[in-house]
Amino acid sequence: MYMEGRLAAIRSRIDAACRRSGRQPEEVTIIAVTKYTSLEVAEAVLSAGLTHIGENRWQDVKPKWEAIGDRAVWHFIGSLQTNKVKDVIGKFPYIHSMDRLALAEELNRKAKALELDPVKCFIQLNVSGEESKHGLPPEELEGFARQLTELPYIQAVGLMTMAPLEGGEEAARPVFRKLRELRDRLNEKHILPYSVKELSMGMSGDFETAVEEGATYIRLGTVLVGGQA
Ligand SMILES: *Cc1c(COP(=O)(O)O)cnc(C)c1O
């Protein structure tokens, strides 16, 4: 099966990146990004032994979500409009695109109304400063975290970023390193009443660099499911 072969190759690249950086492969969770693919592809991902699935649009994922349900751990990785929170709340335990207060407040309000556990969120940061990118400017992170302390149904489990579109590893590494430093500084300052552990960074083209810089969740689409419909 193509999936098992691809996954084995990815795992050995993760292992090598871990060896280079003194980390353990168990610290890195692969999120299979199955957007633009069918239910069959998502099922193949699960059969190959992965459990975390990332999607970015509710309209597209709906049939997959309804068929797979809690056999997967669902991650919402796309930008999320406030009026779409109702579609994903309670279905995606992880939201990777929390980038503004209005969104945090709406997630908090809906989770409270439905008496859910706190929603596990990654604060998305625009570290590279590209205008085209979503995400909070890094200098606003601490103020934002302070506002989150008022929202008990939000748990900021980590930070998330995307590397610049251009520039390859050389451009990606400082962005990933900065995200790790931002997380560490946030924890040192004890702004939130718990520690923020996770770093969601690294995609098909740059996941080894992300692992070397401390990624705990990598979001893999093309390298895993590319070419499959
Ligand atoms: C599509 C997407 C990915 C996966 O990208 P690949 O380069 O195909 O691995 C990861 N993260 C986000 C936010 C995405 O939208």
Side-chain angles (χ1 to χ4, degrees):
M1 283 277 292
Y2 75 94
M3 190 72 75
E4 278 74 6
R6 288 186 187 186
L7 188 55
I10 290 166
R11 286 206 196 282
S12 75
R13 290 168 65 185
I14 293 171
D15 288 355
C18 283
R19 274 196 303 279
R20 288 194 293 276
S21 53
R23 302 187 63 209
Q24 301 300 320
E26 301 75 45
E27 298 167 19
V28 182
T29 299
I30 298 171
I31 300 171
V33 177
T34 54
K35 66 185 185 193
Y36 317 136
T37 71
S38 61
L39 173 60
E40 287 66 38
V41 172
E43 290 285 5
V45 160
L46 297 176
S47 299
L50 296 176
T51 50
H52 294 259
I53 291 188
E55 287 274 348
N56 66 347
R57 283 162 60 100
W58 172 245
Q59 305 93 290
D60 298 339
V61 68
K62 191 167 183 277
K64 281 180 237 176
W65 191 90
E66 285 170 352
I68 292 173
D70 61 10
R71 287 188 287 129
V73 180
W74 296 90
H75 295 253
F76 196 84
I77 62 170
S79 67
L80 185 55
Q81 289 170 266
T82 311
N83 65 359
K84 297 284 166 60
V85 166
K86 62 180 187 320
D87 296 334
V88 303
I89 192 80
K91 301 189 180 81
F92 288 76
Y94 291 90
I95 307 283
H96 287 243
S97 46
M98 204 178 51
D99 59 359
R100 60 196 193 280
L101 186 61
L103 177 59
E105 286 174 340
E106 180 64 4
L107 284 164
N108 187 74
R109 205 170 65 76
K110 285 276 192 301
K112 183 179 182 187
L114 296 168
E115 299 180 13
L116 301 175
D117 289 336
V119 186
K120 298 187 184 80
C121 293
F122 288 81
I123 303 172
Q124 183 172 356
L125 290 156
N126 182 356
V127 176
S128 67
E130 289 167 288
E131 265 180 41
S132 58
K133 283 227 166 18
H134 291 278
L136 204 65
E139 59 275 17
E140 293 178 20
L141 173 60
E142 289 178 10
F144 185 65
R146 232 169 252 120
Q147 291 170 312
L148 291 185
T149 61
E150 311 284 316
L151 305 177
Y153 287 84
I154 300 290
Q155 188 192 0
V157 295
L159 305 184
M160 181 275 212
T161 201
M162 291 169 83
L165 287 172
E166 317 252 315
E169 182 192 332
E170 229 171 290
R173 189 179 298 280
V175 166
F176 295 152
R177 186 170 296 167
K178 176 89 182 286
L179 196 72
R180 167 160 51 86
E181 290 167 358
L182 287 165
R183 178 200 61 186
D184 294 346
R185 201 170 321 138
L186 189 63
N187 288 328
E188 279 159 19
K189 293 199 171 175
H190 301 290
I191 293 171
L192 289 158
Y194 49 81
S195 82
V196 175
K197 296 208 173 67
E198 314 298 347
L199 293 174
S200 169
M201 57 189 196
M203 313 187 351
S204 292
D206 52 28
F207 70 90
E208 290 150 297
T209 308
V211 167
E212 288 173 13
E213 294 300 332
T216 61
Y217 285 90
I218 55 177
R219 309 179 307 269
L220 302 182
T222 312
V223 71
L224 190 63
V225 300
Q228 306 298 316

